[in-house]
Amino acid sequence: MPNKKRPTVFITRKLPESVETRMCELFDTELNIEDTARSQHELVEAMKTFDVLVPTVTDRIDAAMIEQAGDNLKLIANFGNGVDNIDIDAAARKGITVTNTPNVLNEDTADMTMALILAVPRRLAQGANVLMGDGVWNGWSPTWMLGHRIWGKRLGIVGMGRIGTAVARRAKAFGLSIHYHNRNRVDPVTEEDLEATFWESLDQMLARVDIVSVNCPSTPATFHLLSARRLDLLRPEAYIVNTARGGIIDEAALIKNLQEDKIAGAGLDVFEHEPAVNPKLVKLAQSGRVVILPHMGSATIEGRIDMGDKVIINIRTLFDGHRPPDRVLPGQL
């Protein structure tokens, strides 16, 4: 009996070596050795001939590109949890399955969220820069580099899904009081365990908390969810942390409120116009009002390997004639 044809797989960016090796063992795989971002033209050409496209969150796969896909393209196996970079509706119309890599980055992202919750009020980046910069440290002083304690403060979580819940568990251990806004209330056992307060009104929660953590998915409904009007609801002593997607916050309005001392500070791992970072945010970071990171929330070796394993499982499952476990349907997220 002849061997079953191996799926052809096009990977848009360099992945962990162990993941690439396994993919080459299982599929006819084209790697991106140089890790340079693929152009739109290169992506379209790949979609015309390959069976599987493995993009990342930085590859925008829109309806026009999907329309040009060849009949061979059966799967877009996104290397990432979010799928806001892919037109899911257009893929469904074309009969192309879309998958993602959920639930492997929850703890990593929650770790980074907690790190920023600590870093901004306690001025960690500022303190580190003193020792690494040109300034001279004259030693400890009772009134120098004073920040704010987080113990006893109220944390407002926007989006109490798996990541938001993981953040809440960490924050509770640090003595924060947990408040949250979500489309649906979490189950009573989780709510009781976290001693969490549910707010049906996002506006009412924002006006009452000391730290806001953005952990909701990026969808059309959450674009600029934290609008200029909602950012104005925050108290001058409040901090905001975002490890989800930059577009959930109106970045221009956030910058304006920081400049005008309407909020105390921000910790940002994501930006509205990535990879571009607004120079005004950089300036605020240099002054110590903001901690900015280059989208590192999920950047662990373990997490990236787990993501690759999920991509492989999704590919194998589809081409074995079954429904992939991480299939994303229109309107699902």
Side-chain angles (χ1 to χ4, degrees):
M1 180 180 294
N3 291 332
K4 185 177 179 181
K5 178 182 176 293
R6 303 203 316 172
T8 58
V9 177
F10 185 89
I11 302 176
T12 66
R13 299 297 294 267
K14 184 168 179 55
L15 303 182
E17 185 176 306
S18 62
V19 174
E20 292 183 337
T21 300
R22 188 62 177 146
M23 283 194 171
C24 289
E25 289 173 344
L26 295 170
F27 319 123
D28 288 340
T29 306
E30 181 166 324
L31 305 176
N32 186 342
I33 302 300
E34 301 300 326
D35 199 29
T36 54
R38 303 286 194 176
S39 68
Q40 187 179 61
H41 173 74
E42 289 175 308
L43 292 174
V44 169
E45 290 303 306
M47 293 166 69
K48 288 179 179 179
T49 58
F50 282 79
D51 300 321
V52 181
L53 178 72
V54 181
T56 68
V57 295
T58 60
D59 300 306
R60 184 151 298 280
I61 314 297
D62 60 26
M65 296 170 66
I66 290 171
E67 188 58 35
Q68 298 177 68
D71 293 337
N72 284 344
L73 188 66
K74 296 297 189 292
L75 174 64
I76 300 175
N78 200 44
F79 187 85
N81 185 33
V83 289
D84 49 307
N85 56 313
I86 302 169
D87 192 319
I88 305 297
D89 294 322
R93 290 193 298 268
K94 190 80 171 177
I96 300 169
T97 300
V98 176
T99 60
N100 63 344
T101 61
N103 305 327
V104 296
L105 302 176
N106 300 338
E107 304 303 326
D108 297 331
T109 305
D111 284 345
M112 187 62 79
T113 304
M114 197 66 220
L116 287 171
I117 289 172
L118 287 164
V120 182
R122 293 303 308 270
R123 305 174 69 178
L124 298 189
Q126 275 183 284
N129 287 336
V130 168
L131 300 180
M132 294 186 294
D134 297 329
V136 177
W137 181 47
N138 294 316
W140 182 87
S141 166
T143 57
W144 184 71
M145 199 59 77
L146 298 181
H148 290 275
R149 69 164 58 132
I150 66 166
W151 184 90
K153 299 296 194 298
R154 295 185 179 93
L155 173 66
I157 297 175
V158 181
M160 193 73 151
R162 291 182 177 88
I163 294 174
T165 301
V167 171
R169 294 191 187 283
R170 287 159 173 75
K172 184 188 175 190
F174 276 85
L176 286 148
S177 172
I178 308 302
H179 296 249
Y180 75 98
H181 168 80
N182 205 41
R183 285 182 299 179
N184 301 301
R185 194 163 183 165
V186 302
D187 66 88
V189 174
T190 300
E191 194 171 275
E192 182 179 358
D193 181 48
L194 295 172
E195 301 178 54
T197 301
F198 171 67
W199 292 89
E200 187 173 349
S201 167
L202 175 58
D203 289 7
Q204 290 183 14
M205 184 185 80
L206 293 175
R208 290 167 170 81
V209 297
D210 303 296
I211 304 169
V212 176
S213 177
V214 180
N215 300 109
C216 59
S218 175
T219 69
T222 61
F223 177 74
H224 282 191
L225 179 67
L226 294 187
S227 60
R229 180 189 67 79
R230 284 193 166 125
L231 290 172
D232 284 343
L233 298 173
L234 295 172
R235 297 181 298 110
E237 302 84 11
Y239 299 89
I240 188 165
V241 169
N242 188 7
T243 56
R245 286 290 188 270
I248 297 171
I249 300 177
D250 183 336
E251 195 170 274
L254 174 64
I255 291 170
K256 182 174 182 292
N257 282 16
L258 286 163
Q259 291 173 329
E260 296 177 359
D261 294 328
K262 290 183 177 179
I263 59 175
L268 306 173
D269 185 48
V270 289
F271 308 93
E272 188 168 347
H273 304 290
E274 285 186 33
V277 179
N278 193 310
K280 294 178 181 178
L281 277 177
V282 176
K283 186 174 181 180
L284 285 164
Q286 291 169 340
S287 70
R289 297 294 304 282
V290 177
V291 175
I292 53 176
L293 297 174
H295 204 144
M296 294 168 55
S298 63
T300 67
I301 294 171
E302 297 88 346
R304 293 288 187 255
I305 291 174
D306 288 345
M307 290 168 70
D309 289 343
K310 274 192 169 283
V311 169
I312 291 169
I313 290 170
N314 285 319
I315 296 172
R316 292 194 70 179
T317 304
L318 181 70
F319 285 89
D320 283 342
H322 305 289
R323 175 173 172 164
D326 302 310
R327 184 182 181 188
V328 180
L329 299 173
Q332 182 175 330
L333 297 179

